[in-house]
Amino acid sequence: NTSGSVIAVILSGTDIPLPNDQQLNNVNVNGGSTTFTVQQSGTYELEYHVYLTTPLLVNSRIILNGTELPDSVIVPVTAMDHLTKKATVNLNAGDTLSLQLYNLLGVAILTPGDPTKVTSLSITKK
């Protein structure tokens, strides 16, 4: 893959489609690879990485059941090309998670082709 995924970011938030080769246990993924549904209740460590081809002043967050997860929010003060955050949360079976970019009216391009710079969301039961 020589071109990155182009994400049309809107102010209220745009879900990021994630690679379909992720290692997920007890988690189902929707067809667009944007929504992850937890199958077992428990404490989870969530970690995300977003790699962009160009530094942008864009916010990132995890959405839990349609609501922003406060511990997952990044609001950079300068343009960044790598956004990463960890949060530990209690989840119930059936909870949904998605990764978003928001507060930008424009285009973000995910870094293509470099296996060390894969945009991802890790959902690990503790």
Side-chain angles (χ1 to χ4, degrees):
N1 184 1
T2 57
S3 64
S5 295
V6 176
I7 311 292
V9 181
I10 60 174
L11 296 176
S12 61
T14 302
D15 290 347
I16 302 172
L18 296 166
N20 57 9
D21 61 349
Q22 297 188 84
Q23 304 300 313
L24 298 172
N25 293 322
N26 304 310
V27 178
N28 290 342
V29 185
N30 74 341
S33 295
T34 56
T35 303
F36 300 81
T37 304
V38 176
Q39 299 303 304
Q40 288 185 350
S41 298
T43 302
Y44 286 80
E45 182 173 280
L46 309 176
E47 180 177 2
Y48 69 84
H49 296 272
V50 178
Y51 293 92
L52 304 170
T53 57
T54 305
L56 293 174
L57 195 57
V58 62
N59 299 0
S60 60
R61 63 185 170 194
I62 294 172
I63 298 294
L64 170 61
N65 297 327
T67 304
E68 177 178 278
L69 185 62
D71 289 348
S72 73
V73 174
I74 296 176
V75 179
V77 293
T78 60
M80 299 174 69
D81 64 359
H82 178 212
L83 303 159
T84 184
K85 189 85 168 187
K86 270 187 192 179
T88 301
V89 294
N90 291 317
L91 300 175
N92 297 311
D95 281 354
T96 60
L97 300 164
S98 56
L99 180 58
Q100 282 191 344
L101 293 177
Y102 69 104
N103 207 30
L104 172 80
L105 195 54
V107 172
I109 302 173
L110 302 181
T111 300
D114 184 341
T116 65
K117 294 183 177 179
V118 175
T119 293
S120 64
L121 172 61
S122 167
I123 306 168
T124 309
K125 193 168 189 294
K126 297 185 114 219

